[in-house]
Structures are given as C-alpha cells and as structure tokens.
Amino acid sequence: MLEQLVQLAAREPVAMARIVDATGPGPRELGAAMVVTADGEVLGSLSGGCVEATVVESAREVLASGHAVSDRFGYAEADGFAVGLTCGGEIEVFVERVDGTRLPVLSALRAAIVAGEPISLATTLDAAPDWKLLRPGASEPWRGVDRDARALLAAGRSGLVGSDECETVQAPRPRVFVQTFAAPARMILAGANDFVRALARTGRQLGYRVTVVDARETFTTPARFPSAHEVVVDWPHRYLTAEHAAGRIDERTVVCVLTHDTKFDVPMIVAALSIEEICFVGALGSRRTHTERTERLRAAGITDDQLARLKSPLGLDLNAHTPDETAISIAAQILAERGGASAQPLARTDGPIHH
C-alpha cells in the first residue's frame, strides 16, 4: 500500500483512510489503510466491506475540501440498515488528503522500512494534519507528545497519544496517531507455572511479543498459556542462545526467569547475561534463593559487572503474594527501568510527572 500511495500521490492528490483507534473485536489492525483516488478508484480495505462505502464518501469530501475528517463506526446488525461493524467492535477512521507535498516524508518512511529500521509516522488528528517521522534515539521535541510517541516506537506498537484538549496553552498536546513500523519488543519468560501465566498476560497487555519456554512438555502447552504469542518446549538457555544467533534478540528484549529450579534458571541467566543486547534480565525468588543463585552464577563464570545487570529478587516492593500481584510488581519494575524512572510514589517526588 505504501508503494502505491507514493506513486499515486506523485501524480495527483488522493485520500488516505486509516484505522486510528479500535475497541473490541475488529476486522483489521490499527494502521490498516485504504486509498481513494479522485476518479473513485479504491485500493485496500478497512473492514471487509462493512464501512467502506461511507468512508469513500468521506474521502470524496476530503479531496474536495482539503480538510481531514474522523468517522467512528460501532456495532450494527447484520440485517439492519445502519452502517457499522457486525463483529461487535468499534473503530475510528481518519481520512486525510495526501498529495505531492507528502512525498519527502513518504519516501523517507519507505526507505527506513526497506532497510529494516524501526520508525513511526506520527499524525495529528485534526483538520490540517501534521506529520512527523520518529526514529529511535532522536530526542527533538514535537507537539508535546514526542516522548509518549517514542515509547510506542520502542515497544513496537501503534496507538494514540495526546488529547483532544490541550493540557496547557504553553504545552499543547494534540491527539496524535502513531503508526509504528517495527516488530514489537520481545518478552521471553523461562518457566511453566502460574507466575509465568500471569506475567505473560500482563506483558501482552503492555505490547510485548511474549514467548514462554520450558523443557517440560507436559506443562508447556498453549492451552496453559493462552496470552503468550509462542509457547516453546526447549531448554530455556538453549532456546535463547539460538534466538540470539538467529538475530531475533535486540536491545528491547526482556528476559524473566521464573523457574525456581537451578538446573533451569542458572544456565538461562548465564545465557541472558552473556548477551549484551538484552536490556532487562530478571530472576524471581527469595533473598535466600538469590544468595545461593549468585554463588552458582559466579561459579559458572559470571563476572561482577554482569551480575550488576541482574534484577534479583525480581519485582518492586508491593507486598505482592498472588501470581497476578507479582506480575504487576515485575511489570512495574520493567517499565521503570525502561523509562529511567525512580519507581517512587508520585506524591513523594517533585517535578514533571512525565519525564
């Protein structure tokens, strides 16, 4: 679709419609696009036919006026007359005019995607949309939403940031759709227990691509871990080493070891700490377990500098007891580490809430 959009916009203005928000079940993902030309040609699809006719009418209006519009579609009976989704979900479709002035941004976006570089296209959802390409590591401010937008990019997610209402006159934060072109960050969980099941669910909600890995075939099944994207029967350290060799581990990868068994957790932690790209390595357990495990890790050749990277005992002090509570404490620590935050109560800190 991007290549077609570039070719069409180089010749004449077209209307581009994208799904920018979705609730509940839906036919397409965020960022799904449809292009409508001035002569009525339609490329792509948003819903498999449920709302396309209405969106085409909006596209014609946008081409005529030059002003972008948003349409929201909810549930509609399959045999009724209302325009909407029969799947029970709700989507917001943003329709805007795209012409030759957008070609520099579109060309740069295409080049980054071809090169395999993570990148996001941020679009203000107003009558005269503003576009901005966001890349990892860049820090120039943009419309007051650049940090939130880059957090989505870091996680490999698309979504909305900002608000329809500006927070202050001095620091406007318009409503912005961030469409990310990057694989989601990975969360690799070693173990096959209730704590892993709870953290897999929480990790998926945070946008991670979650892998559960354990060598025990009886316990390591998709049915026991429905929130995981992948459930792998293998020795965790062997799996992680193979994934690294295949180039599927990067600086956003999170590894949590929740096995409670030295024959599993020590080799896995050794493997994880030996891969410098991994941004977070944590291991669950009591303080006694941590002390004993540290001795075993040193005996396995792990240096003090490598041990300093290990988050153990894993989790923040929330007095968590249940697997779900423990998952929240672990996820909170991951977020704090990822964002360089203190993990202190906001009531005890000064300065901006958003760093």
Side-chain angles (χ1 to χ4, degrees):
M1 178 62 73
L2 178 57
E3 187 63 36
Q4 293 171 308
L5 179 62
V6 170
Q7 294 175 2
L8 290 170
R11 296 198 299 265
E12 62 177 0
V14 297
M16 177 175 65
R18 285 182 288 169
I19 298 177
V20 298
D21 193 19
T23 303
R28 299 292 305 279
E29 70 282 357
L30 290 181
M34 186 174 81
V35 173
V36 181
T37 67
D39 60 5
E41 182 183 4
V42 178
L43 296 86
S45 173
L46 299 177
S47 68
C50 300
V51 303
E52 269 75 358
T54 301
V55 175
V56 168
E57 289 302 316
S58 295
R60 292 193 178 110
E61 295 176 6
V62 167
L63 284 173
S65 68
H67 300 303
V69 299
S70 287
D71 293 321
R72 186 169 285 275
F73 302 95
Y75 173 70
E77 295 286 351
D79 56 354
F81 293 101
V83 176
L85 304 176
T86 58
C87 56
E90 182 176 321
I91 61 172
E92 180 182 354
V93 177
F94 186 70
V95 188
E96 61 183 307
R97 175 186 169 116
V98 178
D99 57 26
T101 63
R102 298 294 200 189
L103 288 179
V105 173
L106 290 173
S107 297
L109 176 63
R110 178 178 58 183
I113 293 173
V114 170
E117 301 171 358
I119 194 167
S120 292
L121 173 62
T123 305
T124 59
L125 301 184
D126 49 32
D130 189 12
W131 283 12
K132 176 70 173 179
L133 288 181
L134 303 174
R135 303 173 188 269
S139 59
E140 67 275 8
W142 183 73
R143 308 299 294 267
V145 299
D146 48 286
R147 292 185 181 275
D148 291 343
R150 287 192 177 87
L152 288 175
L153 173 57
R157 299 171 57 195
S158 298
L160 293 172
V161 297
S163 172
D164 287 321
E165 297 181 1
C166 298
E167 289 189 350
T168 65
V169 175
Q170 292 77 19
R173 285 170 49 84
R175 193 163 177 258
V176 172
F177 176 59
V178 181
Q179 185 168 1
T180 296
F181 300 85
R186 298 192 63 185
M187 176 181 284
I188 299 175
L189 306 180
N193 53 46
D194 290 342
F195 293 97
V196 172
R197 182 162 53 248
L199 187 53
R201 182 167 54 248
T202 303
R204 183 165 188 149
Q205 290 173 337
L206 293 176
Y208 285 96
R209 180 171 183 83
V210 179
T211 299
V212 172
V213 56
D214 192 290
R216 299 169 298 172
E217 186 174 358
T218 301
F219 302 104
T220 314
T221 65
R224 294 193 69 228
F225 302 97
S227 297
H229 295 88
E230 301 165 313
V231 178
V232 179
V233 179
D234 198 354
W235 284 85
H237 71 283
R238 186 167 63 187
Y239 171 79
L240 182 64
T241 302
E243 289 296 287
H244 181 239
R248 291 190 286 266
I249 301 297
D250 62 23
E251 68 282 353
R252 303 172 299 156
T253 301
V254 169
V255 171
C256 293
V257 180
L258 314 167
T259 55
H260 300 297
D261 189 330
T262 58
K263 68 176 178 291
F264 287 106
D265 60 16
V266 170
M268 181 57 164
I269 296 170
V270 169
L273 293 178
S274 300
I275 300 173
E276 294 183 0
E277 294 97 317
I278 296 175
C279 70
F280 185 99
V281 181
L284 192 65
S286 66
R287 298 196 184 280
R288 177 178 177 180
T289 297
H290 167 72
T291 299
E292 294 174 350
R293 189 164 51 207
T294 298
E295 294 175 358
R296 291 188 177 95
L297 290 171
R298 286 199 171 98
I302 293 299
T303 66
D304 288 341
D305 287 342
Q306 289 175 315
L307 276 175
R309 295 176 53 211
L310 177 62
K311 314 304 177 185
S312 174
L314 180 59
L316 299 183
D317 180 13
L318 304 184
N319 195 28
H321 293 285
T322 69
D324 285 325
E325 291 173 347
T326 302
I328 295 299
S329 76
I330 294 171
Q333 183 179 13
I334 292 170
L335 290 175
E337 294 281 344
R338 189 176 75 185
S342 68
Q344 295 293 313
L346 292 174
R348 299 180 185 175
T349 62
D350 298 319
I353 290 177
H354 300 287
H355 295 193

